[in-house]
Amino acid sequence: MQIKTAEFVISNQMVEKCPTNNLPEYAFIGRSNVGKSSLINMLTNQKNLAKTSGRPGKTQLINHFIINKEWFLVDLPGYGYARVSKSAKKTFQKFITAYFRDRKQLISAFVLVDIRHKPQPVDLAFMQWLGEHSVPFSIVFTKADKLRPKAIEDHIDTYKNILLETWEELPNYFITSSTNYAGKDALLNYINTINEDLNNSTDRLPFQ
Ligand code: GTP
Ligand code: MG
């Protein structure tokens, strides 16, 4: 899929205030600093569409970006960042939970995990929660440029084995790098296929 346009639309903390047109959307979630905002910039060929930082806790709101005027990418705050105050954490948790629970336009989530790390309890718990709330998701391994191919393979195997302890089927997954563009085509093609299926389906979104 070719990205012709990518524009910022709105930021907010309230799912009720997110765009009300019924375009399909895809949300990026994961621990702070995992590379959610960088991945959005990589996918859209832009440097600063989503704000990034070396310091965790940069993205603090629900951010909608409209792509090709047809669908949304959504950048969210990270979870699991210890240095954010307790009250800020609670606020994040509240509106992120509301977003995933109530946002009918959400077609699929992408849960980002840093490929260098062992499966983290907070990520596994979040995937579990998505499953319990029937939110479809894929896993996106980030920062693949930091490991050699053999190490990537080993880390993915470890991840799969741990997931298979609780999941019957493995979720889709993508191996990505925002610095060397790995995984870009695979991810965009995946979204494109879903969008085409939705366009061809008569009962497009359940609430229309
Ligand atoms: P929060 O908004 O704080 O939750 O973080 P985030 O998940 O949006 O992470 P962000 O995109 O801001 O990136 C965090 C840091 O990781 C930045 O210093 C990025 O340059 C770096 N980074 C992100 N993706 C990659 C990648 O694929 N490879 C490498 N080497 N660094 C990356
Ligand atoms: Mg961010």
Side-chain angles (χ1 to χ4, degrees), residues 179-196:
T179 55
N180 70 17
Y181 295 87
K184 182 181 181 193
D185 291 346
L187 238 164
L188 288 178
N189 287 341
Y190 175 76
I191 292 174
N192 193 39
T193 306
I194 301 179
N195 284 343
E196 281 182 353

Side-chain angles (χ1 to χ4, degrees), residues 5-197:
T5 57
E7 297 150 276
F8 168 74
V9 179
I10 194 168
S11 290
N12 64 74
Q13 285 195 333
M14 288 168 76
V15 64
E16 305 82 38
K17 289 195 175 164
C18 289
T20 51
N21 45 15
N22 291 329
L23 298 176
E25 68 190 46
Y26 301 85
F28 289 58
I29 182 76
R31 299 202 317 150
S32 278
N33 214 43
V34 69
K36 301 173 293 292
S37 304
S38 302
L39 189 66
I40 288 180
N41 291 336
M42 183 271 256
L43 292 173
T44 55
N45 304 318
Q46 299 211 20
K47 279 216 164 74
N48 295 310
L49 182 64
K51 301 281 178 296
T52 66
S53 168
R55 290 181 58 196
K58 180 69 178 174
T59 308
Q60 306 237 341
L61 296 165
I62 303 169
N63 298 285
H64 275 76
F65 302 98
I66 190 161
I67 313 299
N68 294 348
K69 307 203 187 294
E70 285 173 349
W71 52 281
F72 290 113
L73 280 178
V74 179
D75 194 14
L76 293 167
Y79 52 70
Y81 175 49
R83 271 198 275 167
V84 170
S85 73
K86 253 196 185 147
S87 71
K89 231 191 233 178
K90 228 182 185 165
T91 308
F92 282 11
Q93 208 168 14
K94 257 196 184 152
F95 74 75
I96 293 174
T97 307
Y99 173 82
F100 283 104
R101 206 189 43 216
D102 301 339
R103 186 71 175 156
K104 304 229 169 21
Q105 291 90 336
L106 177 68
I107 302 298
S108 192
F110 291 99
V111 180
L112 276 64
V113 296
D114 189 320
I115 196 154
R116 295 170 296 176
H117 302 151
K118 291 221 160 62
Q120 306 281 307
V122 68
D123 294 319
L124 298 172
F126 190 76
M127 291 177 207
Q128 195 66 35
W129 185 87
L130 288 177
E132 283 161 12
H133 289 79
S134 305
V135 179
F137 71 91
S138 301
I139 299 177
V140 173
F141 294 99
T142 63
K143 309 194 184 183
D145 55 285
K146 300 251 193 188
L147 291 184
R148 288 161 191 270
K150 175 73 176 91
I152 290 180
E153 228 175 84
D154 290 348
H155 283 224
I156 302 275
D157 281 347
T158 307
Y159 224 98
K160 280 182 181 168
N161 288 334
I162 292 202
L163 285 173
L164 285 173
E165 287 173 10
T166 46
W167 292 83
E168 267 176 40
E169 264 182 70
L170 288 172
N172 261 327
Y173 68 91
F174 300 90
I175 300 169
T176 69
S177 162
S178 294
T179 55
N180 70 17
Y181 295 87
K184 182 181 181 193
D185 291 346
L187 238 164
L188 288 178
N189 287 341
Y190 175 76
I191 292 174
N192 193 39
T193 306
I194 301 179
N195 284 343
E196 281 182 353
D197 283 351

